[in-house]
Amino acid sequence: MPTATYAGHDVDVNDEGFFLDPSAWSEEMAPDIAKDAGVDELTDRHWDVIRFMRHEYDEHGAGPTVRVLGKASGVSVKELYQLFPKGPAKLAARIAGIPKPRGCI
Amino acid sequence: MTDEITKVSIVVSKGSLEGIYPALIMANGARAEGMEANLFFTFFGLDAVHKGRAEHVKVATVGNPGLHLATLVGGLPGVSSVMTHYLDRKMAKLDIPPIPEFIEMIADTGAGLYGCKASCDLFELTKDDLVDQVKDIITVGEFFAMSAGGQIIFT
């Protein structure tokens, strides 16, 4: 099982870098995870998406897909891909310390 | 992982609901995974990006054994519309967007949408007949050049 070090804390992650235990996550870790995921700088807009992911996970037990993000997060699909070019739902979930969203749309 | 897929080019050749949706879902899903994705609409697949036709795409009720409907019944007037309406409602419940909205969303993900030149010539279509999200009408050679280094999927 891989381990990653974010903000000085060792955390267990899966092969794709997603947290095994979402409760081990804290906001101070996000910039380090983002760098690992290829997002160099987290802007306020990135944070809007990350906090929305976290909120959805807390409410529903799973992260939303891009379709849901585009409709409900206040960030359009176009902007989502500008913020997270390598897959908004996937990257934002990883940076938010929650499991990879499952869903085909 | 060296065998990771990083790019897909999807050819849409059929104009039925069941011919178009899988391609759109794969293209959208490829972008969601961070892959590069291009859609190439050829022959009747052009209906998916045809202004005025894209919102009237229907499920095939004849020649479609998977529907488990007698061919004679499937051929009756209105049956295709009723079945399509039924499926549309089921898909809406799953938050699968209608084709025009899906095309717009896929273009917003940064995927490239292209029309096939030979088919457009055949059906006498110009870029003006196709939705704005279509970037260009391209030749098969240009399609292959664009697909270089990736996987090609034909639907």
Side-chain angles (χ1 to χ4, degrees):
Chain A
M1 189 187 304
T3 305
T5 306
Y6 297 129
H9 300 276
D10 290 335
V11 289
D12 295 329
V13 294
N14 70 12
D15 291 337
E16 283 189 285
F18 290 85
F19 275 47
L20 294 182
D21 176 13
S23 68
W25 182 87
S26 63
E27 290 200 356
E28 56 174 7
M29 297 177 179
D32 285 352
I33 311 170
K35 278 195 189 70
D36 257 7
V39 179
D40 288 338
E41 199 196 336
L42 292 180
T43 64
D44 288 349
R45 291 302 270 171
H46 287 97
W47 272 109
D48 287 345
V49 181
I50 293 164
R51 293 203 176 99
F52 181 82
M53 292 302 281
R54 200 72 203 175
H55 173 77
E56 285 290 294
Y57 178 78
D58 289 342
E59 294 281 310
H60 306 292
T65 61
V66 182
R67 165 89 169 145
V68 177
L69 274 179
K71 288 206 309 194
S73 71
V75 182
S76 71
V77 169
K78 209 173 215 171
E79 192 184 351
L80 283 166
Y81 275 92
Q82 283 161 3
L83 296 170
F84 304 97
K86 289 286 176 187
K90 184 179 160 181
L91 291 192
R94 185 174 162 194
I95 297 167
I98 66 170
K100 184 176 171 180
R102 295 190 75 238
C104 289
I105 308 295
Chain B
M1 278 191 290
T2 51
D3 55 355
E4 199 175 329
I5 300 172
T6 56
K7 177 177 176 178
V8 289
S9 296
I10 303 172
V11 184
V12 189
S13 70
K14 296 189 179 67
S16 58
L17 191 91
E18 72 277 20
I20 292 170
Y21 265 106
L24 301 188
I25 290 171
M26 279 192 283
N28 184 58
R31 290 293 301 132
E33 288 295 324
M35 300 173 206
E36 191 183 331
N38 289 305
L39 276 163
F40 185 70
F41 297 91
T42 186
F43 261 84
F44 302 105
L46 278 167
D47 274 7
V49 286
H50 185 287
K51 282 178 193 164
R53 282 193 195 155
E55 55 193 295
H56 301 296
V57 167
K58 293 199 168 45
V59 68
T61 50
V62 171
N64 184 359
L67 207 57
H68 306 288
L69 193 68
T71 294
L72 273 173
V73 177
L76 292 173
V79 171
S80 184
S81 293
V82 170
M83 283 306 296
T84 300
H85 185 65
Y86 170 73
L87 276 179
D88 279 347
R89 275 208 328 233
K90 288 199 79 157
M91 288 198 289
K93 270 188 196 160
L94 293 172
D95 201 25
I96 301 174
I99 288 173
E101 189 186 337
F102 210 169
I103 290 285
E104 199 182 322
M105 178 181 164
I106 290 170
D108 282 349
T109 70
L113 281 72
Y114 300 92
C116 157
K117 183 170 188 317
S119 304
C120 287
D121 289 348
L122 179 65
F123 297 137
E124 296 176 19
L125 298 172
T126 66
K127 205 168 168 298
D128 287 343
D129 296 308
L130 306 180
V131 298
D132 297 340
Q133 285 81 20
V134 174
K135 282 187 185 166
D136 205 358
I137 293 172
I138 62 172
T139 66
V140 63
E142 287 162 347
F143 164 75
F144 279 126
M146 190 178 286
S147 308
Q151 305 279 332
I152 296 176
I153 303 169
F154 189 93
T155 70

